[in-house]
Amino acid sequence: MKTSIRLIAGLLASASFATIAHAGEVVGSVHDASGSRPLQSASVRIVELNRSSETDRTGSYVFGDVPAGTYTLEARYVGAEVTTQTVSVPATGRISGDFDLPAIGGGDILVTGQTANLTSALSRQKAADGVVSVLTRDAVGQFPDQNVAESLRRLPGVNILNDQGEGRYVSVRGLDPDLNGTSLNGVRMPAPESDARSVALDVVSSDTIESVEVKKSFTPDMDGDFIGASVEIKTTSAFDSKKNRYSLSAEGSWNDYSGKVTPKGAFDFTQKLGENFGIAGSVSYYKRKFETDNVETGGWHADDDGNAWAESVEYRDYDVERTRINAALSADWRASETTKAYIRGNWAQFDDHEYRRRTTLDFGDFDTPSAITATGATFDGADERITVERDLKDRFERQRIRSVAIGSDTDTGTLKFNWQASYAKSSEKETFSIDPTRFRARFRAGTVVDMDYSNTYYPTYSVTEGADTFNDASEYEFNKIELTTLSDSQDEEWAVKADLARTFAGDNGDFTVQVGGKARWRKKSYDFNMTYYELADGADYTLADVLGTQTYRLLDMGPVSSKTGPADFLLANPDAFVVSDYDSVLNSAVSDYSVREDIQAGYALARWDSSTLRVIGGVRMERTHNKLNGSLVSDDGDTVTIDPVTYKRNYTNWLPSLTIRYSPQQNLVARLAGYKTIVRPKLSQLAPRFTVNEDNEAEFGNPNLKPYQAWNFDAGFDYYFANNGAFSVGGFYKSIKDYAVDRRFYDYTIDGATYDEVLMPVNGDKAEIAGVEVSYSQVFSMLPSPFDGLLTQLNYTYTYARGTVFDGDDVARRISLPNASKNTFNVVLGYEKGPVSLRAAGTFRDKYLDEVGDDAETDRTVNQHFQLDLSAKYKLTDNIRLFADWVNVNNAKYFAYQNLAGAKRVLQYEEYGSTVKFGARVTF
């Protein structure tokens, strides 16, 4: 790092940003035929010198150190006519070469609508150094998506993991979301959740972004902390358009399960305050009310005949209200002809208020059911007691993500210097969440419950004896309240970085030397406090005191609590409860931690650019320092002892890479890349949180976890059609060592102490990932009317991801890596002609391993998922568009299971219903 800083300082001291005296410069911009919208990633070539450049987001390009003479400039953009012009470059000074590109067949290239958005994405993909997939601002608006995560699933090799039917985490090439890095305007985003590194992108509204780039390969100037992809989100700039723009949208959202209409609104603008200064901003608000019907089971067993039964079955009725508020504001300043400065701020808030009514049938006291068949089981209270719990969770959780970045970019054509300083903070907080208030009854002789397992997705039950008592709310006496008084996760990072590059013009291309450095200072902490309430002597409290109405559709789950009754009862009757100090102290202490992670990085690379060949090679060094604070919590059944623990560690990773981009002709691009990257362990796994109970069973964090280390190889081929479309195929291979898995040990000794059982994250053996991506995009403008409005986007990814884990007896077995889907594909069929725009989008994700069990029969697997969404838009006037979206048309379900006795045994089942959205967007 020190060497890189000295090198940068030396180059800065000797460099001059003035125009080189012995040669001229060619500068210009590329826009659509209307001249109003800049075209990013258009390719501009000086034909005689075989030198090429791509335009930036403002449509600008620059060639430095151009010998005096007359040259031909050629501009290309996917879907546009190739355009040329002749310029005469003076011995000193600069000459302008601006382009306004017409679409193939004539007309403007406006970066709105399905066709133009496909054009923009393909142009950025074509111009990229490595393997990249792109979503532009307006492309996001073409889909009926509720957040950035759901928008990204349309890209090749990208899928999402859902929560309550909404997309949250992004999976790239079928890999775990924790293997991705996420940045917003170049700022690496910390994670709000206490136990995650990956950022849940449902917090970010799709209304605030300009583009999202999913970079699947690595060059040394990038942060090296990803294996799946680096997801880079950019918000709008005032210079993204020549004209000022204001846009207002309003919509309603209706969920067929909740039966409620909820609002969404957004406003965004770009405004120039003079020729060289401008601001851009956006604000959006979205409230959604929906319901989820859920079934979960646990403790599956099978007899010698393969008849299976579950120890417990939970019927869960969720009512959820989610509110998203997002805001972004940026200022851009053209400080000179060569330098642009900026400041960009973003703020996002995600409120999640969840009510969950749950009925739990607990048959854990039975060694075997009273009777059992291949499709059902009978539990008779005369044999063992049947425990039934009815509880309510009332949880309000608020997440916030905010960031600010300031920096500048200087490009003289021969010398580039970029710097950025940033701050980002994420948080997740609860201050009064009841999780849960529980009521319990135990039934013996006179109560018989029959379980029906014939439905693979969820079991049903019937009470064949004692139903009146079983469903009497007054029979269910208060058992406990667990009140979260504080759950506070904080994750913040300061960062500063700088890059310096010098380009030397050659006879057939440009040679560039580039160096840079970056420092990141991160702190993550979690503070959890809860109060455990029991009923005071003489107090009387049953479910009948807070009885409510269920909205469950799968079956009649019996009496349930009202949504707000338990909280109201607790606040109104404090003397009815006593606090269990022992349980409160124990549960409050085991989760707390704080971790510092400081990273210093430096890199050097060399780059060769011509119109046909680009080679980028170099190395990045990242030095990591951790300070880890936690506690050893001992529990002997009567008292809780808390001892603070601190660990420190340092390590260094060297990350070499080589990227080759070869384009023998303008419509062909081949890429080859080899590189090393890392993913650091979750900070919650590193935290030295150690818990020992009275049974000498322990759960440990592992401060000595090593980072994932991966060698990666990518090879790909893109063919761009003469009109608007492309075909791409690529392969990838990753060899990962030191991936982290949770492992259970028996009679295990740590620091001289032996425990009967230990659960701890450890580094695994070697894992291998290989796969193929294929995509096809086409606008069928060559067809006769009215079929010339058709377009399609298809992509498919196959991923092979295998690793080794060890069970408690130290026996190795091969598994699919967690969250790795073997097959994913997306299909988009669109039609756009005149004022009408229609789109159908289907996305499929194969099954994946969700949690690793002690053996194959206890592994948790999530079933395959296919979802269909429809969208329609109508251009009422040049400034007004009406739209309607239908999300989850097929009511796609969530199904998790384990394989036992030759069949899938449900662990979790959810269904959510469809959502319909309708509204209007006005632009002026």
Side-chain angles (χ1 to χ4, degrees):
M1 177 65 185
K2 293 180 179 178
T3 302
S4 299
I5 293 175
R6 293 193 189 102
L7 182 55
I8 293 172
L11 287 171
L12 287 175
S14 61
S16 169
F17 293 109
T19 303
I20 296 175
H22 65 272
E25 295 178 353
V26 179
V27 299
S29 61
V30 181
H31 290 76
D32 61 8
S34 70
S36 62
R37 296 296 296 264
L39 299 181
Q40 181 176 343
S41 298
S43 176
V44 181
R45 182 167 70 107
I46 302 178
V47 176
E48 290 79 6
L49 299 179
N50 199 30
R51 294 176 63 184
S52 294
S53 179
E54 279 82 34
T55 56
D56 62 17
R57 64 184 296 174
T58 67
S60 302
Y61 72 93
V62 57
F63 289 100
D65 202 9
V66 180
T70 300
Y71 300 99
T72 302
L73 294 180
E74 177 186 83
R76 291 177 177 267
Y77 190 80
V78 174
E81 298 280 2
V82 178
T83 305
T84 62
Q85 62 175 281
T86 301
V87 295
S88 296
V89 180
T92 59
R94 56 176 50 195
I95 189 71
S96 178
D98 295 335
F99 290 90
D100 293 333
L101 300 185
I104 292 174
D108 299 345
I109 302 177
L110 298 176
V111 191
T112 56
Q114 299 184 56
T115 301
N117 290 316
L118 178 59
T119 296
S120 176
L122 291 178
S123 295
R124 298 192 195 189
Q125 172 186 308
K126 181 180 180 182
D129 295 332
V131 182
V132 177
S133 298
V134 182
L135 269 179
T136 62
R137 167 190 169 84
D138 294 296
V140 171
Q142 300 298 321
F143 293 104
D145 299 323
Q146 300 167 115
N147 53 63
V148 170
E150 293 192 351
S151 300
L152 284 172
R153 67 182 168 188
R154 316 299 179 180
L155 295 177
V158 179
N159 219 298
I160 57 173
L161 306 185
N162 291 335
D163 174 58
Q164 298 280 18
E166 290 187 351
R168 295 207 74 194
Y169 295 97
V170 174
S171 170
V172 179
R173 291 173 166 174
L175 300 180
D176 192 319
D178 277 326
L179 300 185
N180 299 327
T182 303
S183 64
L184 181 62
N185 291 323
V187 182
R188 226 23 165 203
M189 299 306 298
E193 291 90 346
S194 65
D195 59 349
R197 249 189 205 278
S198 55
V199 179
L201 292 181
D202 60 345
V203 178
V204 182
S205 169
S206 56
D207 296 292
T208 65
I209 66 173
E210 184 276 330
S211 66
V212 185
E213 295 184 0
V214 180
K215 295 185 176 180
K216 303 171 188 175
S217 61
F218 169 75
T219 53
D221 53 333
M222 300 169 59
D223 288 315
D225 53 350
F226 70 91
I227 296 175
S230 177
V231 180
E232 301 184 5
I233 305 169
K234 299 178 182 178
T235 57
T236 54
S237 162
F239 296 107
D240 288 341
S241 172
K242 275 191 174 182
K243 298 179 180 180
N244 297 328
R245 176 182 54 80
Y246 295 85
S247 179
L248 180 67
S249 67
E251 72 176 56
S253 176
W254 177 81
N255 176 254
D256 67 343
Y257 273 24
S258 70
K260 294 181 174 65
V261 176
T262 50
K264 179 180 180 182
F267 172 72
D268 62 272
F269 72 94
T270 61
Q271 175 68 53
K272 295 181 179 64
L273 305 175
E275 187 175 343
N276 295 314
F277 187 82
I279 58 175
S282 64
V283 61
S284 68
Y285 174 87
Y286 182 25
K287 176 176 283 189
R288 182 170 181 245
K289 294 182 179 180
F290 61 97
E291 297 179 8
T292 300
D293 293 338
N294 168 290
V295 178
E296 299 191 20
T297 69
W300 280 96
H301 303 278
D303 64 15
D304 294 338
D305 297 324
N307 300 317
W309 62 283
E311 287 186 11
S312 66
V313 181
E314 301 178 6
Y315 299 95
R316 301 183 175 198
D317 180 13
Y318 288 91
D319 293 83
V320 184
E321 179 177 296
R322 289 179 172 174
T323 304
R324 296 177 175 88
I325 306 174
N326 288 259
L329 184 65
S330 67
D332 291 85
W333 175 40
R334 289 174 176 157
S336 69
E337 291 182 335
T338 59
T339 298
K340 301 169 185 175
Y342 60 85
I343 181 170
R344 298 190 175 105
N346 293 272
W347 182 86
Q349 179 173 296
F350 174 51
D351 292 344
D352 187 5
H353 195 174
E354 177 182 292
Y355 296 102
R356 183 203 67 202
R357 276 81 68 87
R358 176 172 61 178
T359 295
T360 302
L361 309 182
D362 185 351
F363 308 114
D365 288 336
F366 286 78
D367 292 329
T368 61
S370 302
I372 189 169
T373 68
T375 59
T378 297
F379 298 91
D380 191 335
D383 296 331
E384 294 289 348
R385 69 181 180 182
I386 301 170
T387 300
V388 181
E389 296 171 342
R390 303 184 187 273
D391 62 40
L392 172 90
K393 176 169 74 171
D394 176 2
R395 188 213 66 198
F396 178 81
E397 176 182 275
R398 171 167 289 172
Q399 292 186 358
R400 283 178 174 165
I401 298 178
R402 49 277 211 196
S403 68
V404 62
I406 183 171
S408 71
D409 302 323
T410 298
D411 186 354
T412 69
T414 57
L415 196 64
K416 292 183 180 181
F417 175 66
N418 307 317
W419 71 273
Q420 178 176 281
S422 63
Y423 172 75
K425 183 176 181 178
S426 296
S427 61
E428 180 182 81
K429 198 169 186 178
E430 300 175 42
T431 55
F432 189 90
S433 293
I434 296 176
D435 187 11
T437 294
R438 178 183 294 169
F439 302 90
R440 184 175 66 187
R442 287 169 171 161
F443 301 96
R444 296 188 180 273
T447 300
V448 178
V449 177
D450 287 338
M451 297 301 306
D452 183 354
Y453 305 124
S454 60
N455 185 332
T456 301
Y457 295 103
Y458 61 91
T460 60
Y461 76 93
S462 59
V463 183
T464 54
E465 289 186 27
D468 290 343
T469 304
F470 192 92
N471 291 313
D472 184 353
S474 63
E475 292 290 324
Y476 292 86
E477 298 180 347
F478 172 81
N479 176 242
K480 69 173 182 177
I481 292 176
E482 294 183 15
L483 176 66
T484 299
T485 54
L486 180 66
S487 175
D488 187 10
S489 173
Q490 304 279 338
D491 195 352
E492 61 181 342
E493 179 172 302
W494 295 87
V496 61
K497 65 178 180 179
D499 306 276
L500 180 63
R502 175 67 164 91
T503 298
F504 302 90
D507 293 337
N508 294 299
D510 294 339
F511 179 73
T512 302
V513 177
Q514 182 173 323
V515 295
K518 183 174 184 178
R520 302 164 61 183
W521 300 273
R522 183 177 186 178
K523 181 179 180 181
K524 190 176 183 78
S525 63
Y526 184 53
D527 185 11
F528 180 76
N529 295 308
M530 64 88 67
T531 304
Y532 190 106
Y533 290 98
E534 297 175 338
L535 199 64
D537 291 339
D540 182 38
Y541 183 23
T542 71
L543 179 59
D545 294 314
V546 291
L547 193 62
T549 303
Q550 62 177 285
T551 57
Y552 200 64
R553 295 161 185 80
L554 301 181
L555 49 74
D556 183 352
M557 60 192 295
V560 297
S561 166
S562 67
K563 294 180 184 178
T564 60
D568 294 339
F569 191 95
L570 172 64
L571 295 173
N573 302 278
D575 294 337
F577 304 95
V578 294
V579 175
S580 171
D581 293 328
Y582 169 81
D583 290 301
S584 299
V585 171
L586 176 63
N587 287 288
S588 296
V590 296
S591 300
D592 295 352
Y593 74 89
S594 68
V595 173
R596 291 202 64 96
E597 181 175 81
D598 299 337
I599 302 170
Q600 291 81 42
Y603 75 89
L605 66 82
R607 176 186 182 114
W608 169 259
D609 269 299
S610 72
S611 61
T612 58
L613 181 64
R614 180 180 304 162
V615 180
I616 305 171
V619 64
R620 184 180 186 90
M621 181 279 298
E622 294 196 352
R623 173 74 171 170
T624 305
H625 168 73
N626 287 132
K627 183 179 180 181
L628 314 168
N629 299 299
S631 300
L632 172 60
V633 180
S634 301
D635 162 28
D636 63 6
D638 296 314
T639 59
V640 178
T641 304
I642 305 170
D643 296 313
V645 180
T646 298
Y647 282 75
K648 293 182 180 180
R649 60 184 300 205
N650 299 278
Y651 56 90
T652 301
N653 297 99
W654 294 88
L655 310 175
S657 72
L658 177 66
T659 301
I660 301 172
R661 179 187 183 276
Y662 179 59
S663 181
Q665 56 190 62
Q666 289 297 329
N667 62 342
L668 293 177
V669 177
R671 291 180 175 88
L672 186 65
Y675 50 95
K676 185 180 182 182
T677 55
I678 63 171
V679 169
R680 296 173 181 86
K682 293 180 183 179
L683 298 177
S684 58
Q685 291 179 318
L686 289 172
R689 298 184 292 181
F690 308 143
T691 305
V692 183
N693 64 22
E694 73 257 36
D695 296 323
N696 201 34
E697 297 171 341
E699 292 188 18
F700 284 0
N702 188 350
N704 298 310
L705 274 180
K706 300 176 183 178
Y708 294 52
Q709 300 184 66
W711 279 102
N712 311 264
F713 301 93
D714 288 275
F717 170 83
D718 302 336
Y719 178 80
Y720 296 86
F721 304 132
N723 45 17
N724 202 341
F727 172 79
S728 300
V729 61
F732 55 90
Y733 173 79
K734 300 173 183 293
S735 177
I736 304 175
K737 71 173 184 177
D738 296 329
Y739 60 89
V741 293
D742 288 329
R743 187 174 171 190
R744 197 175 301 275
F745 301 89
Y746 299 97
D747 296 324
Y748 193 73
T749 301
I750 299 178
D751 295 333
T754 301
Y755 304 93
D756 293 342
E757 182 179 318
V758 172
L759 180 64
M760 182 172 62
V762 297
N763 288 114
D765 198 4
K766 186 176 180 181
E768 291 185 317
I769 302 164
V772 177
E773 290 179 340
V774 181
S775 66
Y776 167 71
S777 304
Q778 180 69 69
V779 176
F780 295 98
S781 55
M782 76 294 291
L783 297 178
S785 181
F787 304 106
D788 54 345
L790 291 170
L791 62 86
T792 188
Q793 294 172 261
L794 310 173
N795 60 71
Y796 166 77
T797 302
Y798 171 83
T799 301
Y800 171 89
R802 302 288 288 179
T804 302
V805 295
F806 294 85
D807 62 20
D809 296 323
D810 213 31
V811 176
R813 65 183 178 98
R814 296 286 287 173
I815 62 166
S816 296
L817 293 186
N819 298 314
S821 296
K822 183 175 290 187
N823 299 284
T824 60
F825 71 77
N826 293 283
V827 178
V828 175
L829 301 176
Y831 182 83
E832 189 171 59
K833 192 172 179 66
V836 176
S837 178
L838 305 173
R839 177 170 294 211
T843 181
F844 172 84
R845 172 197 42 75
D846 209 347
K847 66 179 182 180
Y848 62 86
L849 177 65
D850 188 40
E851 294 177 4
V852 180
D854 289 337
D855 52 43
E857 287 192 334
T858 57
D859 286 346
R860 176 187 171 100
T861 300
V862 174
N863 203 37
Q864 63 190 36
H865 179 93
F866 174 78
Q867 181 171 319
L868 176 65
D869 305 315
L870 302 177
S871 182
K873 293 177 173 59
Y874 183 80
K875 185 177 180 181
L876 193 63
T877 70
D878 288 343
N879 298 73
I880 301 175
R881 292 177 182 268
L882 307 178
F883 62 86
D885 301 325
W886 186 2
V887 183
N888 195 16
V889 174
N890 57 322
N891 190 17
K893 283 79 170 178
Y894 176 93
F895 177 53
Y897 61 91
Q898 67 181 87
N899 288 297
L900 177 68
K904 296 178 180 178
R905 310 299 177 179
V906 59
L907 296 175
Q908 184 176 345
Y909 172 82
E910 289 181 352
E911 57 181 59
Y912 326 96
S914 300
T915 297
V916 176
K917 301 189 293 181
F918 47 89
R921 177 177 292 274
V922 181
T923 303
F924 49 93

